[in-house]
């Protein structure tokens, strides 16, 4: 059975099972039954919307944060800003790796293979590699000031290229991802906003976890740099 | 920081290796309306965050050892 990416299937074949797996207690009071976008290739794995997608949202937020601090470093020249920017890239790379890994798992059982030749996937992989290069670049420079300056400039360029690869190019061509290449995004699947009710809190939660990890990394780094300067 | 990069690489590589043995687990993953795909995703996220926390802990431990 082929299901086109833009097709929202309202099959009733499994509707009894759907009712059985979604108990009415979960439902918001005014709805008689909890509903979620139902498609043949997705089924219950639509719930990955709360895990796979926020990984990329959190990554993007943290990368924007990192760029802001890189620009601030170039303006003011405070080494703390450089530490914040570099630790942010570390956490963002963790989210990127998790986003790729969860995406591959999800793709295996929905699109049929872990890595279909999709522009969004390839773009995301290139984006993650660009930020790995940032880490390598920092590792290759020993002088603290030079390292901070060069990597801050690189970081500003990196976010531009990352945005280009992950948001713009997939929209210009065909993509399996919702919201890209003429595919419908949320609004088409999520007719009664039930997914949004859980999705946006999930984005906030995962981002907050990311910023917490980031703050731990920064505090350790500050202690390390204080130690080495003594 | 230089220690973290190989960790991310190995995380990605190990997953593509895990995808090879997918045939056996395929029926489980597709059962219960593909609910186990969500379980697998949760396990991956938990493992990733745990590994990241371990790498932070290693750095902290080095600091503690140095401050003695």
């Amino acid at each position: 059975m082929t299901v086109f990416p833009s097709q929202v299937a309202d099959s009733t074949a499994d509707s009894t099972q759907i009712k059985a797996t979604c108990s009415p207690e979960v439902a918001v009071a005014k709805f008689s039954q909890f509903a979620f976008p139902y498609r043949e290739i997705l089924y219950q794995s639509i719930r990955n919307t709360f895990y796979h997608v926020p990984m990329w949202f959190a990554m993007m937020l943290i990368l924007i944060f990192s760029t802001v601090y890189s620009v601030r470093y170039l303006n003011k020249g405070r080494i703390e800003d450089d530490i914040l920017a570099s630790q942010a890239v570390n956490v963002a790379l963790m989210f990127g790796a998790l986003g790729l890994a969860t995406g591959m798992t999800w793709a295996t059982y929905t699109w049929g293979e872990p890595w279909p030749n999709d522009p969004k996937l390839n773009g995301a992989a290139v984006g993650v590699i660009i930020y790995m290069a940032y880490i390598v670049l920092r590792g290759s420079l020993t002088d603290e000031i030079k390292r901070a300056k060069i990597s801050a400039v690189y970081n500003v360029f990196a976010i531009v290229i990352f945005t280009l690869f992950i948001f713009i190019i997939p929209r210009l061509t065909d993509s399996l991802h919702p919201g890209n290449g003429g595919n419908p995004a949320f609004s088409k699947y999520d007719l009664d906003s039930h997914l949004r009710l859980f999705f946006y809190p999930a984005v906030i939660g995962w981002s907050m976890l990311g910023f917490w990890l980031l703050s731990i990394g920064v505090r350790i780094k500050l202690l390390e740099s204080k130690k080495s300067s003594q | 920081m230089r220690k973290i990069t190989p960790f991310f690489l190995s995380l990605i590589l190990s997953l593509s290796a895990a995808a090879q043995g997918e045939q056996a687990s395929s029926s489980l993953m597709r059962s219960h309306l593909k609910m186990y795909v969500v379980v697998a995703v949760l396990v991956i996220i938990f493992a990733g965050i745990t590994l990241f926390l371990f790498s932070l802990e290693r750095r902290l431990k080095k600091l503690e050892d140095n401050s003695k």
Side-chain angles (χ1 to χ4, degrees), chain B residues 19-32:
Chain B
Q20 306 280 311
E22 144 228 339
Q23 294 303 331
S25 64
S26 179
S27 57
L28 171 72
M29 294 297 264
R30 287 175 207 282
S31 65
H32 289 97

Side-chain angles (χ1 to χ4, degrees), chain A residues 18 41-45 47-48 51 55 87 90-91 93-94 97-98 101-102 104-106 108-109 132 135 138-139 206 209 213 216-217 220-221 223-224 227, chain B residues 1-2 4-5 8-9 11-12 15-16 19 22 25-26 29-30 32-35 37-38 40-42 44-45 48-49 52-53 56-57 59-60 63 66-67:
Chain A
I18 296 287
I41 59 164
L42 282 173
Y43 299 118
Q44 296 275 5
S45 76
R47 285 155 203 261
N48 280 345
Y51 306 107
M55 291 292 125
Q87 295 301 311
N90 272 352
V91 179
L93 269 178
M94 182 201 74
L98 288 177
T102 55
M104 278 165 73
T105 315
W106 199 6
T108 308
Y109 300 103
M132 280 181 171
I135 305 268
R138 284 185 71 86
W206 287 114
L209 181 80
L213 289 174
I216 297 176
I220 294 177
K221 190 75 199 169
L223 280 177
E224 280 171 357
K227 259 259 114 62
Chain B
M1 218 171 293
R2 254 175 278 182
I4 293 176
T5 317
F8 283 120
L9 277 173
L11 190 71
I12 292 170
L15 269 147
S16 61
E22 144 228 339
S25 64
S26 179
M29 294 297 264
R30 287 175 207 282
H32 289 97
L33 296 167
K34 297 189 180 175
M35 193 63 196
V37 178
V38 185
V41 162
L42 280 172
I44 289 167
I45 292 173
I49 290 173
F52 188 84
L53 285 173
L56 280 180
E57 201 256 347
R59 279 166 63 192
L60 193 60
L63 267 180
N66 287 343
S67 63

Side-chain angles (χ1 to χ4, degrees), chain A residues 138-156:
Chain A
R138 284 185 71 86
S140 65
L141 296 165
T142 45
D143 182 53
E144 199 183 46
I145 305 295
K146 200 187 265 177
R147 179 173 62 202
K149 273 184 184 159
I150 292 175
S151 63
V153 173
Y154 181 91
N155 203 9
V156 175

Side-chain angles (χ1 to χ4, degrees), chain A residues 123-221:
Chain A
V126 171
V128 169
I129 289 168
I130 286 169
Y131 278 99
M132 280 181 171
Y134 173 87
I135 305 268
V136 175
L137 176 74
R138 284 185 71 86
S140 65
L141 296 165
T142 45
D143 182 53
E144 199 183 46
I145 305 295
K146 200 187 265 177
R147 179 173 62 202
K149 273 184 184 159
I150 292 175
S151 63
V153 173
Y154 181 91
N155 203 9
V156 175
F157 280 115
I159 190 101
V160 175
I161 297 169
F162 184 76
T163 316
L164 191 79
F165 272 118
I166 209 167
F167 291 122
I168 297 172
I169 291 177
R171 279 189 169 75
L172 296 177
T173 56
D174 273 335
S175 175
L176 290 163
H177 274 85
N180 291 283
N183 282 346
F186 249 173
S187 52
K188 190 83 177 274
Y189 296 106
D190 191 20
L191 295 173
D192 54 4
S193 289
H194 261 149
L195 275 186
R196 283 195 185 82
L197 193 65
F198 294 94
F199 175 71
Y200 291 116
V203 169
I204 294 167
W206 287 114
S207 308
M208 279 165 76
L209 181 80
F211 282 106
W212 173 65
L213 289 174
L214 162 61
S215 78
I216 297 176
V218 168
R219 275 143 73 188
I220 294 177
K221 190 75 199 169

